[in-house]
Amino acid sequence: MTKADDRLIVALDVPNAIQGLKLAEQIGDAVSFYKIGLGMLTGGGLALANELKEEHGKKIFLDMKLFDIGATVENAVRGLAQFDLDFLTVHGDPYVVKAAKEGASGKDMKILAVTILTSLDRQDLNGALIKDGDIKDLVQERAGNAFIAGADGVIASPQEAALIRALPEADGKLIVTPGVRPAGADLGDQKRVATPANAVADGADHIVVGRPVWRSENPRAAAEAIVQELSSVQAVRPNH
């Protein structure tokens, strides 16, 4: 039996809490950390987060990507922090990060800043009127600004993990990478991807994997295979 590895976060990107709980029960003790995203919010996502945390001893990453005026973000985070969750995402704009950290004050919940979504490429950024420049450079710049604003970590694609880990501001901070696909897996809507081992070797503390696990005929076996791959690699941690 493969022991769970906290570096693997499985995304429960299924329609509702009933299916999410069923999937978690299928996977069992092979996974200790789950992501619940915006898509399940109206399908009982918060209730599932509480059940997995309180009754099953799992860690929970609530992926809300909050973005609003500072006061609204602070109030929303303060409310969510009462659920004793582990990670929460907000957009990486410094004022949003600062407000989120105020809302999480006194709690252990980590605030993770979104840099640039892993489903986007330069053409997408042009359409959104994002300033010119290579995506990797923009991600590194946004990550540095988020760290300075107080973020506990950032969300970035595996392809930018090494660049972010090299930042002096990244010392002691978390890097969480979606867009991770085991070798041979379908890329889906992700455009900037890497394998689990490569992502961790490049500096990621946690990887997020969804479809390759929950679409598998045997989700537990799929998760165990990723954990096995991670067991052979250590993360890069430069000294600052």
Side-chain angles (χ1 to χ4, degrees):
M1 182 176 67
T2 302
K3 184 180 178 181
D5 187 330
D6 279 354
R7 292 179 294 179
L8 170 62
I9 301 176
V10 170
L12 295 176
D13 293 333
V14 292
N16 56 59
I18 294 173
Q19 292 183 40
L21 182 59
K22 181 180 178 181
L23 178 60
E25 289 173 341
Q26 284 181 304
I27 295 172
D29 58 4
V31 168
S32 57
F33 214 147
Y34 285 102
K35 181 177 85 75
I36 294 175
L38 195 58
M40 200 199 282
L41 188 62
T42 58
L46 280 177
L48 176 60
N50 281 329
E51 183 166 353
L52 290 175
K53 181 84 177 180
E54 299 299 326
E55 298 182 24
H56 298 268
K58 305 299 184 182
K59 293 183 177 181
I60 298 297
F61 167 14
L62 195 63
D63 188 18
M64 295 289 105
K65 299 183 180 71
L66 298 177
F67 181 72
D68 212 309
I69 63 171
T72 300
V73 170
E74 181 178 342
N75 289 335
V77 172
R78 183 171 291 112
L80 291 169
Q82 297 177 37
F83 291 98
D84 193 31
L85 305 176
D86 297 278
F87 294 170
L88 173 69
T89 50
V90 303
H91 274 268
D93 304 61
Y95 82 90
V96 175
V97 172
K98 290 177 182 177
K101 286 295 292 180
E102 283 294 321
S105 179
K107 301 292 185 179
D108 292 331
M109 184 173 70
K110 303 294 187 186
I111 299 299
L112 305 181
V114 175
T115 52
I116 294 175
L117 298 174
T118 55
S119 60
L120 303 183
D121 57 19
R122 185 62 253 183
Q123 185 175 352
D124 297 317
L125 299 188
N126 291 342
L129 304 181
I130 303 298
K131 74 174 186 178
D132 291 339
D134 186 86
I135 285 184
K136 291 182 179 180
D137 295 333
L138 296 179
V139 167
Q140 187 182 43
E141 184 178 359
R142 279 180 64 80
N145 289 341
F147 290 142
I148 292 169
D152 299 297
V154 295
I155 307 293
S157 93
Q159 296 180 15
E160 288 101 39
L163 287 173
I164 294 172
R165 183 54 68 198
L167 289 170
E169 298 88 350
D171 192 25
K173 302 291 188 176
L174 296 169
I175 298 175
V176 179
T177 59
V180 174
R181 293 287 184 270
D186 180 22
L187 299 186
D189 58 2
Q190 301 292 349
K191 296 177 181 177
R192 305 190 328 270
V193 302
T195 65
N198 286 341
V200 172
D202 283 342
D205 296 281
H206 300 274
I207 61 169
V208 180
V209 183
R211 274 166 284 200
V213 173
W214 59 258
R215 279 186 176 172
S216 171
E217 292 182 4
N218 188 335
R220 181 185 177 96
E224 287 180 329
I226 296 170
V227 171
Q228 186 63 36
E229 180 180 341
L230 290 177
S231 69
S232 64
V233 64
Q234 295 296 319
V236 173
R237 289 292 181 276
N239 294 318
H240 294 304

